[in-house]
Amino acid sequence: MSALRSSLCCSLRPLKPYSPLKSSSFLRSFTVLALESSADDTCAAVVNSERQILSNVVIGQNHIHKITGGIEPWLAIHAHQENMPKAIRKALFDAQLTMNEIDGIAFTRGPGIGGALSVCGNAARNMAAALSKPLVGVHHMQAHALTPFLTGPSPSDGGEVTASDPQYPFLSVLVSGGHTLALLATSPLQFRILATTTDESIGRCFDKVARHLRLQWGDRGLGSALERCAAGDDSVDALRARLPRIFLNELAFSFSGLHSLMQTAIQERGGPENLSPIERAGMARAFQGAAVAQLEEKVELAIKWCHDQGIIVRDIVVSGGVASNAFLRQRLRACAETVRQNTGTTMHLHFPPLEYCTDNAAMIAWASMYRFLSGDFDDYSIQSKPKWSIDSLASAGH
């Protein structure tokens, strides 16, 4: 009995770094299975240290949220619980690997919906413990910011083609349904928040205005429906003049006032049911233009702040679900050109391919890679962190 107890105690000790993982000594690529379920997509991916995405599975919940008009946490959690085993199985099948050939397991630790995060967290912890695999919990926003280091240049979507990875320090613009951030990245662990939203995120604002306009749910959610509606004829845009510029010359975002003004403007026209297709398109275009204009201004202010501090920034990484918006990409390219004209500094824009802008597990795998290769693992008892500021990463050690 004592021998059995001793064996169990040994098996439950935290994993220690071991030399084959050191980047200077390992003789083959390191392969990671990563899991993500922070919001409404159930994701699993297999990525190796050679930047090869061997599989990338995303099981969405649009059919559920289309009925409820947005993410209902309880329904999202149940869908994650149902879909996670399927996602893991398919990720391994697509990669043509078994768990014996997986070197490490990563998962989204936070931030996100608490119950949703627990699905990928529990699955990752249990697999890692049962199979004696090293485990790493990843910050979701950090993974978005580091995605271009995995995907590289993406000329296929018409974006800026760059010859190399982003160079530190770089400006990271994270725009999603949960966050709107301008960050100064000085290393994979060190991010300084230059601007954040004082109320709701740009993605959430897009979704709310789309609902007020009674738009049909798009292939990537309500935000894509608004983008598609705004892409029509440009004959009606008078509303744009009434939409204010928020926190002018301040490094801060705010979108709730813009959302409220749009709601009022729609009611002044008798409600969404009284809008003609041209009026609806004009209102969608006016809102999208005002929201993105705020983003442009804050990016220019952030670059100016860096310049005033003697920090030379030449790369801008734009990621998160809203980064898939074609109008936003077009305007930020124009913003980079304005910076070049004003300062003489050529800015390189880095947009991940569209499928890696929204939530995915491939980015989680890549963000975990440097920790795996340095032998910096988490204990199997690590807990999820629904609220987790990215500027605390360095002080936390990971």
Side-chain angles (χ1 to χ4, degrees):
M1 187 68 178
S2 59
L4 175 61
R5 184 180 296 109
S6 175
S7 174
L8 286 173
C9 289
C10 289
S11 66
L12 292 176
R13 288 173 187 162
L15 286 170
K16 296 180 180 179
Y18 50 99
S19 58
L21 287 182
K22 299 296 184 180
S23 58
S24 60
S25 61
F26 75 93
L27 300 178
R28 63 178 178 83
S29 64
F30 189 85
T31 303
V32 173
L33 169 67
L35 311 180
E36 146 67 19
S37 62
S38 62
D40 60 337
D41 290 326
T42 310
C43 311
V46 178
V47 174
N48 66 28
S49 54
E50 304 301 314
R51 299 194 189 195
Q52 294 177 315
I53 301 173
L54 304 180
S55 63
N56 187 47
V57 177
V58 179
I59 303 177
Q61 300 179 8
N62 272 354
H63 62 290
I64 298 174
H65 306 315
K66 186 175 182 179
I67 299 171
T68 60
I71 299 177
E72 180 61 44
W74 184 249
L75 295 176
I77 293 166
H78 278 276
H80 284 312
Q81 291 171 335
E82 178 182 346
N83 292 330
M84 186 58 75
K86 302 174 187 176
I88 295 170
R89 186 178 180 87
K90 181 168 174 53
L92 290 169
F93 178 83
D94 290 351
Q96 299 191 355
L97 296 174
T98 67
M99 282 304 300
N100 289 334
E101 297 169 291
I102 297 297
D103 298 307
I105 299 174
F107 70 100
T108 302
R109 187 182 181 192
I113 301 170
L117 287 168
S118 70
V119 176
C120 66
N122 288 338
R125 283 189 295 269
N126 291 336
M127 285 193 298
L131 300 172
S132 296
K133 303 286 186 181
L135 177 71
V136 167
V138 173
H139 193 291
H140 187 84
M141 294 295 103
Q142 176 198 25
H144 273 304
L146 300 180
T147 298
F149 292 93
L150 170 64
T151 60
S154 177
S156 60
D157 67 349
E160 177 110 356
V161 180
T162 55
S164 62
D165 292 335
Q167 301 298 304
Y168 293 103
F170 64 82
L171 183 66
S172 177
V173 181
L174 301 179
V175 281
S176 69
H179 299 83
T180 309
L181 292 166
L183 305 169
L184 176 65
T186 54
S187 81
L189 272 180
Q190 294 178 310
F191 296 86
R192 175 169 180 166
I193 298 176
L194 303 183
T196 186
T197 178
T198 60
D199 37 62
E200 62 191 13
S201 69
I202 187 172
R204 185 169 299 169
C205 189
F206 264 73
D207 289 349
K208 287 182 177 180
V209 172
R211 279 197 290 270
H212 291 319
L213 289 170
R214 300 275 178 87
L215 299 181
Q216 295 298 312
W217 198 279
D219 56 347
R220 300 191 310 275
L222 286 170
S224 67
L226 190 141
E227 178 187 0
R228 186 170 59 248
C229 180
D233 179 40
D234 199 21
S235 58
V236 179
D237 209 309
L239 176 62
R240 177 70 184 274
R242 291 178 50 191
L243 299 177
R245 298 177 67 182
I246 310 295
F247 288 146
L248 192 61
N249 297 321
E250 293 184 43
L251 269 173
F253 297 101
S254 175
F255 295 97
S256 63
L258 191 56
H259 153 231
S260 297
L261 285 168
M262 288 299 301
Q263 186 177 15
T264 299
I266 293 168
Q267 293 306 315
E268 287 176 349
R269 288 160 173 77
E273 62 276 5
N274 291 324
L275 295 175
S276 69
I278 292 178
E279 287 175 320
R280 185 174 278 104
M283 297 187 81
R285 186 165 45 255
F287 161 74
Q288 180 177 252
V292 172
Q294 183 183 157
L295 199 66
E296 289 180 69
E297 186 213 354
K298 306 312 178 186
V299 167
E300 289 185 34
L301 283 175
I303 294 171
K304 182 180 183 302
W305 182 91
C306 292
H307 186 269
D308 291 345
Q309 301 299 312
I311 303 170
I312 305 302
V313 171
R314 292 189 172 88
D315 293 270
I316 304 175
V317 170
V318 188
S319 55
V322 185
S324 63
N325 183 292
F327 177 76
L328 180 146
R329 291 181 173 222
Q330 172 193 334
R331 291 309 310 160
L332 287 184
R333 282 192 283 272
C335 178
E337 175 59 20
T338 299
V339 171
R340 186 194 67 77
Q341 292 175 359
N342 291 340
T343 67
T345 302
T346 299
M347 304 300 300
H348 301 288
L349 281 167
H350 302 262
F351 296 106
L354 296 182
E355 65 267 32
Y356 299 109
C357 285
T358 52
D359 290 351
N360 65 89
M363 69 177 189
I364 302 300
W366 187 250
S368 72
M369 195 66 71
Y370 73 97
R371 288 189 55 198
F372 279 122
L373 297 182
S374 64
D376 178 21
F377 315 139
D378 288 314
D379 187 84
Y380 295 142
S381 63
I382 183 176
Q383 297 299 304
S384 299
K385 296 185 71 172
K387 295 185 182 300
W388 188 9
S389 180
I390 193 169
D391 58 2
S392 67
L393 271 176
S395 59
H398 45 68

